[in-house]
Amino acid sequence: MVIKLDKEGDENAVEESEEVEKKVVGKEKKAQLIDLPGVGPGAVAKLEAAGIYDLMGLAVLTPAHLSEMAGMSESVARKAIQASRKMMDLGFSDGLAHEEKRKELFNITTGSKNLDNLLGGKGIQTKSITEAFGAFGSGKTQLAISLAVGVQLPIEQGGANGKCVYIDTEGTFRPERVRQFAEGIGANPDKVLKNILVARAFNSDHQMLLLDKVAEMIKDGEPIRLMIIDSLTAHFRAEYSGRGQLADRQQRLNRYLHNLMKIAEQNNLAVYVTNQVMSDPAQMFGDPTKAIGGNIVGHACTYRMYLRRGKKDSRVCKLIDSPDLPDDETVFMIERDGLKDIEL
Ligand code: GTP
Ligand code: MG
C-alpha cells in the first residue's frame, strides 16, 4: 500500500509494495492476551470490550479490577497480571538498551526541509506527541495534511511507509487539499486518500472513544504510523467553559493525552495534535498569545511548535522546550501543492 514516487508522476509508479510493508508491519509475533494463563477467549472478548487489547493494558491493572472486568477469580487474575508483567519485562533497562530501542523509531517528513531540520532533520518522530499551536490560519491544519501524505512515503523518502488516522474535531479536513499535496509530490491522489482514515469527533467523549477504535484497527493489522488530532483541545475547551470547570477539563485532557501517548509508544506511531491559542493578559511584553491547556498539554507533548504568520504570507515556526533539540525557529510557505521552503 505504500506510495512509490516517480518524478514523472506516472500512475503506475504508485503501486503496492509488499516487501517494504512486511519490514514495517511484520514484527515477530508478539505475545497476546490469549497467551496468558487463565485467560480464555471469553475473557479476551470481555477485556477487548473494555478497551484492553494487549499485555500492557492488562499488566497495569489491579487483580480486583481485572477479575471484575474479565469475570475471573482474583487469584487467577493475579497470576495473569504477573505473567503479563514478566513477558513484557517491565522495569529498568540500561542506557545502551534504551539507545537500541530508539533505533526502531520512524520519522515522518513535514514536506518542508526547513521544518524537518527544525525538528532534528527528519520531521516528526514516532513514539512521541508533536503539538502545533497557533492562531487561526497559522497553518496547523495544512501541516497536518502534509504529514498525512508524508507518512505514506517509503522510509528512504522520508516517510514511514504507513497509513494515517485523522481525527477531525472541527470538520476542517479537506480531501481536495490532500489531492493537491499528493499531486505536488507526484503521487496518486486516490491511493493517498485511501490511506488516510478520517473520523469526525463530535464531542470530547467521542474523541476519547475513537482512540479505542484506533487501537482496535491497529490490532486488526492496519499499518498506522501517524495519528492526527485536529484539534486536540477545541471540544474540551467548548464543553468545560464555565467557571469552576477548569480542573475537570484539565483532568480529562490529561487522561486523553496519557492515552494518546500510550498508543504512540505501544505501536510505534507518531501523534500530531493541533491546539489553539488565547491571549494572556498577564503578559505585558512580547507575544501575548499562549496555548490552550496550560502545563498539562505542555508537559504531555514531546515537541511543541508555535506557528504564526510572518512576512509576505510566510509562516514562522518556533520549536519550544524540546527534550533533545535547541529552541529555534524557521520559515516556510503554504502553497497550493504543499508546504514550500524559502531561503533562510
Ligand atoms: P484554525 O484551524 O482556524 O485554527 O487554523 P489553522 O492553523 O489550522 O489554519 P490552516 O492550516 O487551515 O491554514 C489556513 C491558511 O492556509 C489559509 O489562510 C491560507 O493562507 C493557507 N492555504 C490554505 N489553502 C491554500 C491553498 O490552496 N493555497 C495557498 N497558497 N494557501 C492556502
Ligand atoms: Mg485548522
Side-chain angles (χ1 to χ4, degrees):
M1 63 109 243
V2 62
I3 52 170
K4 270 200 180 158
L5 297 184
D6 175 299
K7 283 285 166 270
E8 270 98 59
D10 172 11
E11 286 269 303
N12 296 326
V14 178
E15 58 190 25
E16 317 273 315
S17 161
E18 286 182 359
E19 197 188 318
V20 197
E21 191 163 324
K22 257 186 234 144
K23 205 164 82 194
V24 181
V25 200
K27 296 172 258 174
E28 71 280 14
K29 189 181 172 303
K30 275 205 304 201
Q32 297 180 345
L33 291 176
I34 194 81
D35 301 325
L36 294 170
V39 179
V44 171
K46 283 184 195 151
L47 285 169
E48 289 189 351
I52 310 281
Y53 296 100
D54 49 24
L55 295 192
M56 177 55 109
L58 188 140
V60 296
L61 296 175
T62 62
H65 198 177
L66 175 59
S67 123
E68 188 190 328
M69 248 192 241
M72 54 177 65
S73 74
E74 272 200 38
S75 73
V76 173
R78 183 170 291 110
K79 281 192 192 122
I81 290 169
Q82 278 164 357
S84 68
R85 288 179 183 171
K86 208 163 163 189
M87 281 187 202
M88 293 196 30
D89 198 16
L90 291 178
F92 289 95
S93 62
D94 62 40
L96 267 182
H98 214 72
E99 187 177 60
E100 204 49 44
K101 268 203 105 45
R102 285 189 58 81
K103 289 190 188 145
E104 296 169 11
L105 300 183
F106 293 99
N107 286 92
I108 300 165
T109 177
T110 60
S112 146
K113 213 56 250 88
N114 287 351
L115 263 185
D116 285 356
N117 287 339
L118 183 74
L119 291 162
K122 295 180 184 169
I124 70 167
Q125 211 168 52
T126 56
K127 296 198 184 184
S128 60
I129 303 178
T130 304
E131 173 201 5
F133 68 92
F136 60 90
S138 57
K140 306 178 293 291
T141 299
Q142 306 303 309
L143 177 52
I145 289 171
S146 196
L147 288 165
V149 176
V151 67
Q152 303 180 37
L153 289 166
I155 293 158
E156 42 318 334
Q157 290 178 33
N161 194 16
K163 293 192 183 186
C164 167
V165 162
Y166 199 115
I167 298 177
D168 180 12
T169 70
E170 310 189 290
T172 55
F173 175 78
R174 293 285 175 278
E176 311 89 84
R177 288 297 282 148
V178 175
R179 278 187 184 281
Q180 292 164 349
F181 277 52
E183 280 161 7
I185 55 164
N188 178 332
D190 285 342
K191 290 205 166 144
V192 171
L193 275 169
K194 210 146 173 65
N195 287 330
I196 304 177
L197 310 164
V198 188
R200 176 82 203 269
F202 292 99
N203 55 40
S204 67
D205 283 327
H206 189 201
Q207 195 177 326
M208 289 254 195
L209 218 63
L210 284 170
L211 291 192
D212 290 345
K213 186 80 198 148
V214 173
E216 210 179 300
M217 289 193 296
I218 295 171
K219 185 176 158 272
D220 290 343
E222 287 282 18
I224 295 162
R225 287 281 166 236
L226 171 65
M227 184 154 63
I228 290 169
I229 325 286
D230 184 18
S231 125
L232 168 73
T233 46
H235 281 318
F236 290 94
R237 191 185 185 194
E239 290 164 27
Y240 297 82
S241 57
R243 268 178 171 271
Q245 286 186 302
L246 189 65
D248 274 354
R249 182 191 83 182
Q250 290 301 85
Q251 199 177 26
R252 298 227 329 147
L253 202 49
N254 194 22
R255 205 167 89 215
Y256 185 73
L257 283 158
H258 192 84
N259 287 346
L260 273 181
M261 195 63 203
K262 197 168 98 182
I263 295 188
E265 286 197 331
Q266 285 177 7
N267 305 290
N268 195 12
L269 58 83
V271 176
Y272 170 78
V273 302
T274 68
N275 190 8
Q276 274 68 35
V277 290
M278 57 181 186
S279 63
D280 176 10
Q283 178 90 17
M284 304 254 279
F285 304 100
D287 195 339
T289 48
K290 95 180 184 187
I292 304 295
N295 288 338
I296 297 271
V297 176
H299 290 155
C301 297
T302 330
Y303 299 96
R304 303 197 90 182
M305 298 185 286
Y306 173 38
L307 290 177
R308 62 183 166 83
R309 282 177 188 268
K311 285 185 202 132
K312 295 194 183 139
D313 218 25
S314 65
R315 298 298 192 280
V316 182
C317 177
K318 184 171 186 188
L319 188 70
I320 298 165
D321 292 339
S322 146
D324 51 1
L325 298 166
D327 285 7
D328 198 0
E329 64 177 36
T330 194
V331 196
F332 65 98
M333 301 291 289
I334 301 169
E335 286 180 8
R336 185 180 183 280
D337 58 350
L339 307 186
K340 294 279 140 59
D341 285 326
I342 43 181
E343 292 283 321
L344 292 176

